[in-house]
Amino acid sequence: ALAMAGVAAGASPAPRMSAGPATEAIRDTISQVIRLLEDPTLKRPGKAEERRRLLEKTIGNRFSYAEMAKRSLGAHWRGLTDPEREEFVTLFQRLLSKTYAHTIEGYAGEQVQYLGERVAEDFAEVRTKIASAKVQIPVDYRLLRMDGDWRVYDVVVDGVSLVRNYRGQFSRILRSSSFAELVEHLRKKAAPDQGPDGSRRTGGGAS
């Protein structure tokens, strides 16, 4: 359920320790998310949509959805036109937003521990662990330095890569269908859920 790891789960930060710039980037984003989740004004009735938008903006400032979408599509990306790429990235972002909106609903004050980082030129990996009284889940963030800032392009939760998982799903669809059919599949998955009264509601799976 912690598909977007500490950022989506809103895990509480562990005591501060010395870390590199990639770790600080992740820590800063998680802290911003926690402030939004704990803001009493955003817990009031009628504020759910506003809180969701603010969370999406905060997470979107750290995640490179374009890079994640490109890597998730793999070799198929090269054959797309610019408009096709733009539409795919937009739908991919909506799908992830819908997924972590659902995850955030399960926030229960888990703590995120920062275990270290590895940096090789413009790539970095930040190792963390989400811990509660009942479970401990290793979460690794893979980042790319873009325009002087560290942006997440993959999240590995308990050994499972988010990008690799989506790439497998998309490849299976494309082996038997066209790109247009994949886009239609994403469009349906990324569409807002409707409540019993017809109102817009976020949440749901990502598969």
Side-chain angles (χ1 to χ4, degrees), residues 189-204:
K189 288 292 183 181
D193 295 331
Q194 298 295 321
D197 59 354
S199 60
R200 187 178 183 276
R201 184 180 63 189
T202 57

Side-chain angles (χ1 to χ4, degrees), residues 21-38:
T23 298
E24 290 303 322
I26 293 296
R27 194 199 308 268
D28 180 63
T29 297
I30 290 175
S31 296
Q32 291 181 52
V33 168
I34 293 169
R35 284 196 292 271
L36 291 172
L37 290 173
E38 295 181 345

Side-chain angles (χ1 to χ4, degrees), residues 30-179:
I30 290 175
S31 296
Q32 291 181 52
V33 168
I34 293 169
R35 284 196 292 271
L36 291 172
L37 290 173
E38 295 181 345
D39 187 338
T41 63
L42 295 175
K43 295 180 180 180
R44 295 173 181 170
K47 289 288 186 177
E49 189 69 14
E50 179 183 353
R51 184 174 77 163
R52 183 189 63 82
R53 287 196 302 269
L54 291 171
L55 288 167
E56 286 184 3
K57 180 180 179 181
T58 300
I59 296 172
N61 287 338
R62 180 61 54 202
F63 281 65
S64 174
Y65 291 114
E67 189 68 23
M68 296 176 82
K70 174 183 176 181
R71 290 171 179 266
S72 295
L73 202 55
H76 298 283
W77 178 265
R78 292 194 295 270
L80 301 183
T81 64
D82 287 344
E84 287 175 331
R85 289 177 177 180
E86 290 176 7
E87 181 178 24
F88 185 79
V89 170
T90 297
L91 291 173
F92 188 79
Q93 179 175 349
R94 288 178 185 170
L95 178 61
L96 289 187
S97 296
K98 180 178 178 180
T99 300
Y100 67 63
H102 176 70
T103 303
I104 285 173
E105 293 174 359
Y107 169 56
E110 296 89 349
Q111 183 179 75
V112 59
Q113 301 173 2
Y114 299 90
L115 307 179
E117 71 175 56
R118 294 182 297 178
V119 179
E121 297 182 347
D122 289 333
F123 293 88
E125 183 175 67
V126 175
R127 296 173 51 246
T128 73
K129 180 171 62 177
I130 292 178
S132 69
K134 296 181 179 180
V135 67
Q136 295 191 6
I137 304 174
V139 180
D140 299 336
Y141 297 88
R142 293 174 178 171
L143 304 96
L144 178 65
R145 186 155 33 207
M146 306 173 70
D147 299 323
D149 196 12
W150 289 106
R151 304 292 297 277
V152 175
Y153 70 85
D154 195 11
V155 182
V156 181
V157 182
D158 202 12
V160 179
S161 161
L162 180 72
V163 166
R164 184 176 298 176
N165 182 46
Y166 276 115
R167 187 187 302 141
Q169 293 181 42
F170 297 158
S171 294
R172 286 193 295 272
I173 294 173
L174 289 170
R175 278 198 295 268
S176 58
S177 306
S178 65
F179 176 74

